Amino acid sequence: MSQTSAPRPPAHDATVPERSAAGPKRIIDCDVCVVGGDVAGLVLAGDLARRGRDVVLLAIAGPSAAVPSWPLDSVIAPGFPLSTLELSGRVGRDDAQELLILSAQAAEAGLGLIERLGIEIGPRGRLTVARAHAAEDLYREHELRQELAPDTTVFVGAEDLAALLGTQTFAAGLGVVPAERVRTASLIAALEDAAGAAGVRFVNAEGALSVDLKGVRKYLDMANQRVRAFQVAVCGPAAFARLGSGVARLPRAPWVSGSFRLPGSNAPYAGLVEEFGLTGLAYHFDGDRLALAAQSALPVMTRVGAARVLRRHAAEVYPVGGGLVEGARARSLPDPGGMPMLYEGERGVWYALAPGAGSLGLDFLAARMIVGAIAERDDRIALLQPFATGGLSGWTGRVARFAAFWHLRLAARLHMEKGVPALAPAQEPDVPAPLPAPATASALARRSVASAASASRHAARAALHAASGWASGLATRAASEGSRRRRRAPVEPHGELEDEAPPQRR
């Protein structure tokens, strides 16, 4: 007796019953599921779709939710926030050179894509600046970059730098070539249109999101739909935060941002300016508007506090006085330790997170390397495996960032105090010095408070120097823990007992 079976439902967007009281779920099958609609996720999804892959982009709270409320424009340029000297020490000179070359190639490819999309770019330029205490380190950075990746940096002296920026605060600068400012919102809107035209399907991740990424086929479950994919790429801080710390850990650092109006400002340079080191400030001019962002030692809870911190940082560079801070805001930005977190976790699951905000060169690098790993079986993504752990998290990470921040700030302040010695007022030789006035109770109290404050400052400096060394030791130990476990040679059975002589009795 023959039986006729019902026609099989299509492989994509099939609705099948699930064992849940919530009703049937919509099943979406695909080759690759990209979680996160930031620049890296959109470029990755569009490139894979144009290569013939069936791609679903799981947008976090809508496709355009990745546009940050950030006053500074994004910049596409080669290089990494981590210094080249430290990068060479972490991965070796040859791997550091290959990473710099890959970064330059990704930046050039990204600029070509932006031009094809018709996105307006400019003003041109990205300038890394250093104060007097770090000028020598910046010059060594330039020399090493010229050896590993020639013609990608230009060193700027103090006089030329003052003419470009209109300030005497910085003693040296390092220009990165090529570098272009890009409006993030315009770029993401154009990338969404391009990805949709290439065949990428957008799915809004509303409500709770649970994932199972262990097997050959990966499952991403939402309230009324399930995505099944063979490859998953998690891109951007929103995706990391949504998946939770059990799947992807998101190290963060506190920042404040806002803008000032400086009528009559005469700074001819309109590119992005960043201070050398992992804790500093970044700013650029738009006419007489100064958009500025700075990292803080601890999270700032209020807009008033953010405005106060911004005004203190801006006053070190330009005469802002008590001007109004527009759009002052405190936020936490990804802080994976100066390098992008770009690695393969479980088999077929890729993670990409760029440090800070607006590092388009690193976003294009992440998309390019993941596409190569999926479509071309390119294993060069392993070059970034030593940075897969990111920065320290929890209280250890907070103490390390706090100590590193104040270590650099105090080093700059002490250098300024030593460079400008205090001059005693001149006295007339014929006029005798006045006799000291008798100390009153209030004068003694003020003197004791001043001496206590001075002692507290010296004690704080000593403690911060000690904490900085302790924190850097923890960071080095955490970074090398995985490599030590992988390189540990197997111990021969009873190897240590045969070399050691047994104790003898007399």
Side-chain angles (χ1 to χ4, degrees):
M1 183 175 176
S2 63
Q3 296 181 354
T4 60
S5 59
R8 185 177 180 181
H12 302 288
D13 298 345
T15 302
V16 297
E18 294 283 339
R19 296 181 181 180
S20 173
K25 280 190 176 182
R26 176 173 170 239
I27 304 299
I28 304 174
D29 288 336
C30 61
D31 296 329
V32 182
C33 177
V34 179
V35 185
D38 66 337
V39 173
L42 290 167
V43 174
L44 169 63
D47 199 350
L48 287 175
R50 283 186 287 271
R51 292 170 180 257
R53 299 297 199 277
D54 186 9
V55 182
V56 168
L57 193 145
L58 201 60
I60 305 300
S64 299
V67 180
S69 55
W70 189 247
L72 275 68
D73 289 345
S74 300
V75 174
I76 178 168
F80 304 97
L82 190 69
S83 67
T84 308
L85 182 62
E86 190 171 354
L87 177 62
S88 301
R90 294 280 297 272
V91 300
R93 190 182 182 89
D94 294 338
D95 288 351
Q97 183 177 25
E98 190 167 0
L99 283 173
L100 289 173
I101 293 174
L102 288 173
S103 174
Q105 293 174 350
E108 293 178 359
L111 283 173
L113 176 61
I114 292 173
E115 292 177 355
R116 291 194 299 271
L117 293 175
I119 303 298
E120 182 181 358
I121 59 176
R124 177 175 299 177
R126 179 176 185 174
L127 192 60
T128 302
V129 295
R131 309 194 189 200
H133 71 283
E136 187 176 352
D137 295 335
L138 188 62
Y139 184 74
R140 286 199 297 265
E141 172 77 8
H142 168 66
E143 289 183 328
L144 187 56
R145 283 286 293 269
Q146 288 297 314
E147 293 178 9
L148 300 182
D151 302 328
T152 58
T153 57
V154 177
F155 189 80
V156 184
E159 295 183 0
D160 295 336
L161 194 63
L164 283 174
L165 303 181
T167 178
Q168 302 286 341
T169 304
F170 306 110
L174 191 65
V176 182
V177 181
E180 299 283 354
R181 278 174 53 185
V182 183
R183 301 281 182 180
T184 308
S186 303
L187 177 60
I188 286 184
L191 288 175
E192 288 176 359
D193 295 339
V200 177
R201 292 176 291 164
F202 290 88
V203 176
N204 291 335
E206 300 177 354
L209 176 64
S210 60
V211 297
D212 181 8
L213 308 176
K214 300 296 184 182
V216 176
R217 177 169 281 191
K218 323 298 180 185
Y219 298 91
L220 299 95
D221 289 323
M222 289 150 283
N224 56 356
Q225 52 192 354
R226 163 180 282 188
V227 178
R228 300 187 300 194
F230 293 100
Q231 305 269 356
V232 174
V234 182
C235 302
F240 271 64
R242 188 67 178 274
L243 292 181
S245 59
V247 178
R249 185 167 55 89
L250 177 62
R252 289 183 174 272
W255 281 74
V256 291
S257 63
S259 59
F260 298 84
R261 292 289 179 180
L262 299 179
S265 59
N266 57 351
Y269 186 79
L272 181 69
V273 181
E274 295 178 323
E275 190 172 3
F276 183 63
L278 297 182
T279 54
L281 70 136
Y283 69 89
H284 63 66
F285 276 98
D286 287 320
D288 63 347
R289 176 178 172 269
L290 172 65
L292 185 140
Q295 190 172 351
S296 57
L298 296 173
V300 182
M301 300 302 178
T302 64
R303 291 181 181 269
V304 176
R308 186 181 299 112
V309 175
L310 276 175
R311 190 176 289 108
R312 184 172 66 245
H313 280 277
E316 297 178 356
V317 186
Y318 295 103
V320 295
L324 180 64
V325 183
E326 301 175 359
R329 185 179 174 185
R331 69 202 70 200
S332 295
L333 295 180
D335 181 31
M339 290 293 291
M341 291 178 64
L342 184 58
Y343 63 98
E344 182 181 14
E346 299 83 3
R347 184 174 180 82
V349 183
W350 312 91
Y351 298 91
L353 178 67
S359 301
L360 292 182
L362 299 181
D363 289 330
F364 282 103
L365 175 64
R368 186 183 180 93
M369 297 192 77
I370 294 179
V371 168
I374 294 177
E376 303 172 0
R377 298 187 180 276
D378 188 350
D379 62 348
R380 287 182 295 179
I381 195 173
L383 292 171
L384 289 165
Q385 188 68 30
F387 309 100
T389 56
L392 296 175
S393 62
W395 284 104
T396 306
R398 294 176 187 176
V399 171
R401 284 190 294 271
F402 180 85
F405 177 88
W406 282 113
H407 175 76
L408 294 180
R409 297 285 295 176
L410 288 176
R413 183 64 58 84
L414 291 174
H415 188 277
M416 291 174 60
E417 292 177 357
K418 290 179 180 179
V420 185
L423 298 178
Q427 294 184 357
E428 295 293 336
D430 298 334
V431 180
L435 295 176
T440 61
S442 58
L444 290 175
R446 287 194 300 269
R447 192 179 305 170
S448 61
V449 169
S451 60
S454 177
S456 300
R457 284 195 296 270
H458 286 291
R461 290 175 183 175
L464 284 173
H465 278 285
S468 177
W470 169 78
S472 61
L474 281 180
T476 305
R477 180 179 177 183
S480 61
E481 183 67 25
S483 59
R484 286 206 309 269
R485 292 177 178 176
R486 290 193 298 269
R487 294 196 300 264
R488 186 174 295 171
V491 180
E492 296 290 338
H494 307 291
E496 296 179 357
L497 296 179
E498 293 177 359
D499 297 336
E500 184 180 358
Q504 297 180 359
R505 288 188 178 181
R506 293 183 177 180

